[in-house]
Each structure stands twice: as C-alpha cells, then as structure tokens.
Amino acid sequence: MKNILVPVGSSKNAKCHLQYAVDFAKAFGAKVYVVQIYNVYTKAGTMIKIDHILERESQAFLDEHVASIDKKGVEVITRVFKGKLVDTIESVCKALKIDLIVLEPRTNSIKEEVYLGKTSGKIVKQTEIPALIIPECYEYKPIVKMLMATKSAAVKKEGALKPLIAIKNQYKAIVNLLLVKTPNYDKDDLEVSKELSAIITNTTKTDAPTTFQAVLEHYQDHNPDLLCVVRRKRGFFKKLWEDNTILKKDFHSTTIPVLVLSGLK
C-alpha cells in the first residue's frame, strides 16, 4: 500500500480523521494525498468568475488543515480539483495510483443520526476503489482481528483482496470469514478460493436473507477490530442501495473501521 487518498469536507471530525489516515499511512510507509473537490454551478447572466476564488480558498483550507495535525514524517500532499465528485475521484485515483481511500462517514456536519452521508456514500457505492471508512473521533490502533463478511468466497478478480492482504500482513492480524448462504446462492459461492483460504484463520457459515443481516447477527461473536465487506450492487449495502445516505439505526457497526473491497468477480 503506497498511496492513500483522503477526501476532506467540512465536518467537525475532519482533523482527527486526517490524523488517523496519517497514522495508518505511517504503518505502511505510504504517501497521503489530501484532496478537496469543488464544482461550480453558474446561472444565466452571472458575470463573476469564481473558479479561481474557490480553488484558492480550498487550497488555503487544505494547507491549514494539514498544518493542524502531526504528520509524523509521512509525506502529505494537498490537491484541489474541480469537477463532479465520482468522476473526479475516479480520475484522481487512476492518475495518482491510489491503493485506498480513507473516508470519514460524514464529510459534512449533518444530522447526528446519519452514519454514512451522501458524499461518502457516493464514493463507497458508485466507484470501484477500495475504501476504509473510519468512525468519527476514532483513534488509531493496530488491527489485531478482522471479520470478512461475504455471500461469495469465489475470488476471480485479480487484486481484489490486495488491501485486505496488505492490512493482514502489516499487523499480522487474524482474518475470520463469515460466509453467508443467501436464498439465491450459487454452489460456487460457498467454495472458498485458494487465494482467500490462504489468509483465513476460521470460517463461520450461516444462512441469512442478506450478508447485512448476517453481520448484525454474528458481529458481536467475533468482536473484530475491522469489518471487511465486498462492494457489489446486490451485496452488503443492497438494503440501502437506492439512497446514498445510511442511518446509524440501520447499520450498527459504527464503532470500528469498515474496509470495503471492490467486487471479487
């Protein structure tokens, strides 16, 4: 893991979130790219050009933001981009060869009952970039035990497990697998691939309507330091896919980091 991206918003949690990202990056010897993306909506008859103003103010904000934390020797680079959120994030990640996006659940100071806001929700659900969602005001600590929850253990996509393997190896962590047999399962889904089997310590098989429901039922039994789920349109966030906002009452794993992998197939 060499390059980590941290999108920055205006939430009260932004400073401690960036500190976590820097502490996490230090463990891997990675660079941190701190970015802010803005878009300009013009009205007919508007004469004032504000692009350069927004860019200047955003850059000043990022520089001040980074100066407020302890970089601990980590290379932290600030960048400001103009464009639509998802398209710009994808282009930036490709250009900078980003391995992981470290997200705060709510990049803006919105309602307290919200777990995943619209900005973070869009990045998690509408891109194929691995993401690590860090709880608000969460202090960095080594990851000792991970729980990976999925309805398919068939890994066919090259590099899909790369972030999980990197974290496991860095912390010498235990990875437990929660394999969920859903109503419309395929036999191949329940066969653990060699690549995944090589990093798993224990496997728990369970029947549940969705992976999401299985996690709610088995989460406390495993008591992990990190939950790992797989991004797919009919996967872990299926229940809430129509809306980019996720409420805390609908997602109870709000006290530990959540690693979201790109699809395994």
Side-chain angles (χ1 to χ4, degrees):
M1 199 164 320
K2 297 180 179 179
N3 299 306
I4 293 172
L5 187 77
V6 184
V8 173
S10 58
S11 78
K12 296 177 182 179
N13 177 62
K15 181 177 177 179
C16 56
H17 175 73
L18 179 57
Q19 187 64 64
Y20 180 96
V22 167
D23 292 347
F24 181 83
K26 182 175 177 61
F28 292 87
K31 291 181 184 178
V32 173
Y33 289 90
V34 183
V35 303
Q36 192 164 66
I37 298 168
Y38 71 93
N39 204 350
V40 178
Y41 298 93
T42 58
K43 294 182 179 179
T46 301
M47 300 298 292
I48 301 174
K49 187 173 178 62
I50 61 172
D51 280 29
H52 69 286
I53 299 174
L54 290 175
E55 183 177 4
R56 185 180 68 233
E57 290 182 349
S58 294
Q59 186 63 55
F61 170 78
L62 288 184
D63 291 342
E64 184 178 352
H65 185 50
V66 170
S68 71
I69 59 115
D70 182 358
K71 294 190 284 294
K72 298 184 178 180
V74 173
E75 185 176 359
V76 180
I77 302 165
T78 58
R79 293 283 188 272
V80 175
F81 299 96
K82 175 187 173 184
K84 293 182 178 179
L85 177 67
V86 172
D87 292 343
T88 305
I89 283 285
E90 288 181 328
S91 297
V92 168
C93 286
K94 185 175 181 180
L96 299 178
K97 297 181 180 179
I98 296 298
D99 300 299
L100 185 71
I101 301 180
V102 178
L103 289 172
E104 55 179 320
R106 304 180 298 168
T107 56
N108 298 309
S109 296
I110 55 178
K111 295 179 180 179
E112 184 62 31
E113 64 267 23
V114 170
Y115 164 64
L116 198 62
K118 287 187 177 180
T119 299
S120 298
K122 283 182 179 179
I123 294 172
V124 167
K125 296 178 180 180
Q126 297 178 26
T127 74
E128 286 297 317
I129 307 150
L132 182 63
I133 306 169
I134 305 301
E136 294 172 5
C137 301
Y138 189 83
E139 293 186 6
Y140 172 81
K141 62 181 181 180
I143 296 165
V144 177
K145 188 162 56 174
M146 296 186 281
L147 175 64
M148 179 181 181
T150 181
K151 71 173 186 177
S152 176
V155 181
K156 298 179 181 179
K157 186 176 179 181
E158 186 177 352
L161 296 176
K162 192 174 180 181
L164 180 64
I165 294 172
I167 293 172
K168 171 186 167 56
N169 290 343
Q170 177 60 41
Y171 298 105
K172 296 180 174 58
I174 292 170
V175 181
N176 293 320
L177 175 65
L178 179 62
L179 187 54
V180 186
K181 181 180 176 182
T182 57
N184 299 316
Y185 78 99
D186 294 325
K187 283 187 177 181
D188 290 346
D189 289 338
L190 303 182
E191 294 182 8
V192 182
S193 70
K194 289 183 179 179
E195 185 180 7
L196 182 55
S197 179
I199 65 172
I200 296 298
T201 303
N202 296 299
T203 299
T204 301
K205 295 183 178 180
T206 186
D207 290 15
T210 65
T211 308
F212 188 93
Q213 186 62 40
V215 168
L216 297 184
E217 293 173 0
H218 291 269
Y219 169 77
Q220 291 187 340
D221 293 338
H222 291 273
N223 192 28
D225 300 307
L226 179 145
L227 172 65
C228 176
V229 298
V230 178
R231 175 194 288 112
R232 55 167 76 92
K233 286 194 174 182
R234 308 309 295 172
F236 184 74
F237 291 113
K238 171 184 175 181
K239 174 174 177 266
L240 308 151
W241 204 262
E242 290 73 20
D243 191 345
N244 287 317
T245 300
I246 294 177
L247 301 180
K248 289 180 179 177
K249 69 181 180 65
D250 292 323
F251 183 58
H252 302 282
S253 300
T254 60
T255 58
I256 62 169
V258 178
L259 175 64
V260 185
L261 301 178
S262 60
L264 301 183
K265 297 182 180 181

